[in-house]
Amino acid sequence: MSSGASTDATTLANPRELDLHLPVSYLADGHSLRSWLFTTDHKRIAILYALSITFFFFVGGAAATLVRLELFTPQADLVGADTYNKLFSLHGIVMVWFFLIPSIPTTMGNFLLPLMIGARDLAFPKLNLISWYLNMGGGLLTLAAVVAGGIDTGWTFYVPYSTVFSNSFVALAVLGVFVSGFSSIATGVNFIATVHYLRLPGMTWFRLPLFVWSMYTTSIIFVLATPVLALTLTLVIAERTFDLPIFDPARGGDPILFQHLFWFYSHPAVYIMILPAMGVISEVITCYARRRIFGYSFMVYALVAIAVIGFFTWGHHMFTSGMSPFAALVFSFLSFIVAVPSAIKVFNWTATLYRGQIGFESPMLYALGFLGLFTVGGLTGLFLASVPIDVHVQDTYFVVAHFHYIMVGASVSAYFAGLHFWWPKVTGRMYPEAWARFAAILMFFGFNLTFFPQFIAGYLGMPRRYHVYPPEFQVWNVLSSSGAAVLAVAYLMPLGYLTWSIFFGTRAVNDPWNAAGLEWRTTSPPPRGNFLGRPEVLSPPYNYHPEGATPTGDQPRMSAHGSLT
C-alpha cells in the first residue's frame, strides 16, 4: 500500500508530537465488570454489542452447519423433519434478528459515529446502554424459546402456521424479537440526534463521511419501519395467546395482511443490513486506493434513494400470494428502480479504484470480495423482480442463494472489512496480516462454493426447506455443503488471530493506514472523551493526494489547544 500521508484539513496533530500528557484509553478506564455493564461510553457499548452479536453469530452458524450436514445426502440421515424445521428456523431467526440487523450499526456505528464527526459521545449515552440491554434481553428470550421447545416457523413467523398450527414456543420467540426492535429504535433515535446536533463546526452535511451518511439513512429506517414490525408481532402474540381472529382465514382473518405488514418492515430491513455495509466499503476503498471517493454527492443521493425507495418495494416478496397482476407490475417496476442507486454505488467504487495507488491489505481484500458478492446478489435480485422468473423460482434454493449473497456474503464481508480496518483503532494492536489476507481469500471462495450451486439447484426446481430431496440434486448439495465447511473455517480464523492480537500483537500507531478522517486523529485506542481538543473542519472528506504530491493551498495546523488554525 502507498505510504502517502493524508492531507485532510480535519487532521489533528499526533498528541505525542504536542508533548501533552496522554489520557487513559477507554479500555483502561476501569477494569471491573460493573464498569463495563454500567458504562455510558459509546466505545465500550460498541464492544459489548460486538461480544453479543459474535455469540449469536456462532449460535446461528452452528445451526446452519447441521442443516448443511443433513443435506449432504438425499435422505434423512442426521435429523428428522421436525428437528430440521427447528434448525433452519433457529438459523434464520438468530442470524437475521440478532446478528445481521444489529451487526454494523451497533458495533462500528456506535464506536465510530462520534469519532467521525468530532463528538465526545452519542447524544443520549444512557439510552445507548439501554439499547444494548434490550437487544440482549430480546436475544435471550428467543434462545429460551429455542431451548424450551424449538421454533419451527422459519424466521418470518408466517401465519396462520405460527398462530394456529405450530406447537413450538412461538409467542416467546416473537416477544424476543419485539423487545429487540425497541433496541433498534433507540439506536436510530440516538444516531439521528447525534448527527444533527453534535457535528463539529464546519462539518456540513456534504462534508460528512459516507459511513456517517449510511448510519443516518439506516437510522431513519430503524425509526420509521420498526414500529410496523412491532405492531405486526403484537398481533401475532395476541392471536396466539388470546385466540383473536386476526390472521386465521378459517375465522374471517386475513393471512395476506400479515405478509403486507411484515414485508413493509422486512424489505427495508434488507437495507438496514446493506446500507451500513456500503458505508464501510466506501471508507475502505477510498483509503486503499489513495483517492477521493468518485462522485461523493451521487453516493450520498444514492444512499438516500435506496432508503426511500426501499419502503415502496415490499410487494415483490408476494408475487405468488394472490396479488393482482397490476399491483405486481408496479412492485416489479419499483424493484428495478431501486437497483439504479445500488448500481451507481458499484460504478463509483470501481471508478475510485481506477488509477488508484491500490494496496491489497486484508480490509481491501474483504472489500473487493464485497463488490463481487454484492454484484452477483444484486443481479439475481433483478431476476426475482421479474414476475415470470419469480413465479418459476419462488420458494426454491434460487431465492436462498440470492438472499445469502446479499445478506451474508456482502454484509458479512463488509463487516469483516470494517473490523480489520478499524481494529488497530479499537484495540491499539495490529493483527497478523498474512493470516488475515488468507482468511479473506478463503471466505470469498468458500462462500461462492457454498451458495452458487444453490442458484443452479433452485433454477432446476429444488424447493427450499426440504430435508429429503430427489437424488438428482445431490451433486449441488454436496458442493454446497463442502463449501460450507470451507466457509466455517474462514469465519473462525479471525476469531483466533484477532484474539491473539489483543495479547501479543504489536502496538498500533494512531494512523497505521495513513487514512483520512477524524477517527484517525486521536490515540489508538482513543481516550474516554475521544479527542484532546476540539478541531474545526475546513475541507471535504477523503482529501487524499498521490504519494509525493503537494496539495494546493495552505494547510491548517493544529494548535496546542486542539483547534485548527
Side-chain angles (χ1 to χ4, degrees):
M1 187 189 76
S2 166
S3 60
S6 165
T7 55
D8 189 351
T10 60
T11 301
L12 301 176
N14 188 325
R16 299 181 188 278
E17 296 173 358
L18 297 176
D19 196 25
L20 298 175
H21 177 68
L22 292 178
V24 175
S25 79
Y26 79 97
L27 291 173
D29 188 22
H31 298 284
S32 66
L33 183 62
R34 178 183 176 85
S35 70
W36 280 90
L37 294 180
F38 292 94
T39 183
T40 55
D41 186 346
H42 67 100
K43 299 180 290 297
R44 286 198 167 200
I45 294 172
I47 299 299
L48 293 176
Y49 266 116
L51 294 174
S52 62
I53 69 168
T54 299
F55 167 72
F56 289 124
F57 177 79
F58 284 106
V59 169
T65 301
L66 293 175
V67 167
R68 290 313 319 172
L69 287 174
E70 171 56 45
L71 293 174
F72 204 83
T73 63
Q75 303 303 319
D77 302 314
L78 184 63
V79 297
D82 186 56
T83 302
Y84 182 82
N85 288 343
K86 293 177 180 179
L87 284 174
F88 76 70
S89 298
L90 167 63
H91 167 67
I93 291 169
V94 170
M95 292 295 282
V96 171
W97 301 115
F98 302 108
F99 174 74
L100 289 172
I101 287 177
S103 59
I104 295 178
T106 60
T107 56
M108 297 171 202
N110 255 318
F111 194 97
L112 295 166
L113 183 63
L115 287 167
M116 285 186 167
I117 64 175
R120 296 181 63 85
D121 209 316
L122 290 174
F124 308 112
K126 292 181 180 179
L127 182 64
N128 194 23
L129 179 62
I130 291 171
S131 72
W132 178 73
Y133 278 105
L134 289 171
N135 180 265
M136 282 298 297
L140 293 177
L141 275 176
T142 301
L143 285 183
V146 173
V147 171
I151 306 297
D152 56 2
T153 63
W155 71 274
T156 56
F157 303 111
Y158 260 23
V159 298
Y161 184 71
S162 62
T163 54
V164 178
F165 301 108
S166 176
N167 294 320
S168 59
F169 287 70
V170 174
L172 186 61
V174 169
L175 180 62
V177 177
F178 176 86
V179 171
S180 70
F182 284 96
S183 171
S184 298
I185 295 172
T187 298
V189 169
N190 221 340
F191 285 1
I192 291 172
T194 301
V195 173
H196 273 274
Y197 295 109
L198 299 184
R199 304 195 309 273
L200 283 175
M203 183 165 280
T204 60
W205 284 99
F206 281 87
R207 287 181 175 176
L208 290 175
L210 289 173
F211 181 79
V212 176
W213 270 108
S214 72
M215 289 296 103
Y216 184 78
T217 52
T218 301
S219 298
I220 291 174
I221 299 175
F222 273 145
V223 172
L224 296 182
T226 308
V228 178
L229 174 70
L231 170 64
T232 308
L233 298 182
T234 301
L235 293 176
V236 171
I237 294 174
E239 178 163 350
R240 186 173 179 88
T241 305
F242 303 109
D243 197 31
L244 299 178
I246 301 172
F247 299 121
D248 184 4
R251 297 187 296 161
D254 186 2
I256 302 300
L257 173 63
F258 172 88
Q259 295 187 32
H260 279 289
L261 293 173
F262 180 84
W263 288 115
F264 183 82
Y265 164 81
S266 293
H267 190 77
V270 171
Y271 301 114
I272 289 174
M273 305 174 207
I274 204 64
L275 285 173
M278 291 175 170
V280 170
I281 296 305
S282 298
E283 302 297 324
V284 172
I285 284 181
T286 188
C287 175
Y288 291 103
R290 315 306 303 166
R291 297 190 65 208
R292 286 186 180 182
I293 201 76
F294 181 86
Y296 169 87
S297 60
F298 281 94
M299 296 287 272
V300 171
Y301 292 132
L303 285 169
V304 176
I306 291 170
V308 172
I309 301 173
F311 278 99
F312 299 97
T313 59
W314 78 90
H316 74 219
H317 295 272
M318 302 169 57
F319 287 156
T320 59
S321 298
M323 179 182 292
S324 138
F326 301 104
L329 181 63
V330 171
F331 282 117
S332 176
F333 174 75
L334 290 171
S335 300
F336 278 99
I337 290 297
V338 80
V340 175
S342 298
I344 288 173
K345 302 189 76 62
V346 174
F347 290 141
N348 283 21
W349 288 322
T350 306
T352 304
L353 293 172
Y354 177 66
R355 300 185 68 179
Q357 303 175 39
I358 300 174
F360 292 100
E361 278 77 3
S362 53
M364 186 61 160
L365 294 180
Y366 279 111
L368 294 176
F370 167 91
L371 288 181
L373 299 176
F374 178 73
T375 300
V376 172
L379 289 174
T380 54
L382 294 179
F383 297 165
L384 295 174
S386 174
V387 178
I389 298 178
D390 185 83
V391 171
H392 171 62
V393 299
Q394 180 67 24
D395 282 331
T396 70
Y397 265 86
F398 191 97
V399 178
V400 174
H402 158 72
F403 181 87
H404 281 81
Y405 262 87
I406 294 290
M407 297 300 94
V408 180
S411 293
V412 175
S413 291
Y415 178 78
F416 277 102
L419 183 65
H420 287 75
F421 184 56
W422 285 294
W423 185 260
K425 181 59 59 180
V426 173
T427 65
R429 298 283 182 170
M430 300 300 293
Y431 50 82
E433 180 62 27
W435 282 106
R437 292 182 184 182
F438 178 71
I441 295 171
L442 192 67
M443 184 182 299
F444 181 78
F445 284 103
F447 186 89
N448 281 288
L449 183 58
T450 302
F451 291 102
F452 197 85
Q454 295 181 15
F455 281 125
I456 302 172
Y459 190 81
L460 293 176
M462 180 175 173
R464 62 179 174 178
R465 300 186 174 182
Y466 278 51
H467 75 306
V468 175
Y469 56 87
E472 57 263 30
F473 295 119
Q474 184 175 11
V475 62
W476 306 115
N477 280 289
V478 168
L479 287 172
S480 186
S481 295
S482 300
V486 176
L487 191 60
V489 174
Y491 284 154
L492 285 169
M493 284 181 62
L495 180 65
Y497 63 72
L498 291 178
T499 303
W500 177 90
S501 73
I502 294 174
F503 301 100
F504 304 107
T506 58
R507 292 194 176 275
V509 297
N510 294 343
D511 185 4
W513 313 123
N514 291 316
L518 283 176
E519 74 270 26
W520 301 105
R521 308 306 166 218
T522 185
T523 57
S524 296
R528 177 68 171 84
N530 294 340
F531 297 100
L532 295 179
R534 183 173 173 81
E536 290 179 287
V537 180
L538 304 177
S539 71
Y542 314 120
N543 196 6
Y544 288 101
H545 297 274
E547 185 175 5
T550 302
T552 59
D554 295 331
Q555 295 303 300
R557 293 176 292 105
M558 181 72 181
S559 73
H561 299 289
S563 61
L564 284 172
T565 59

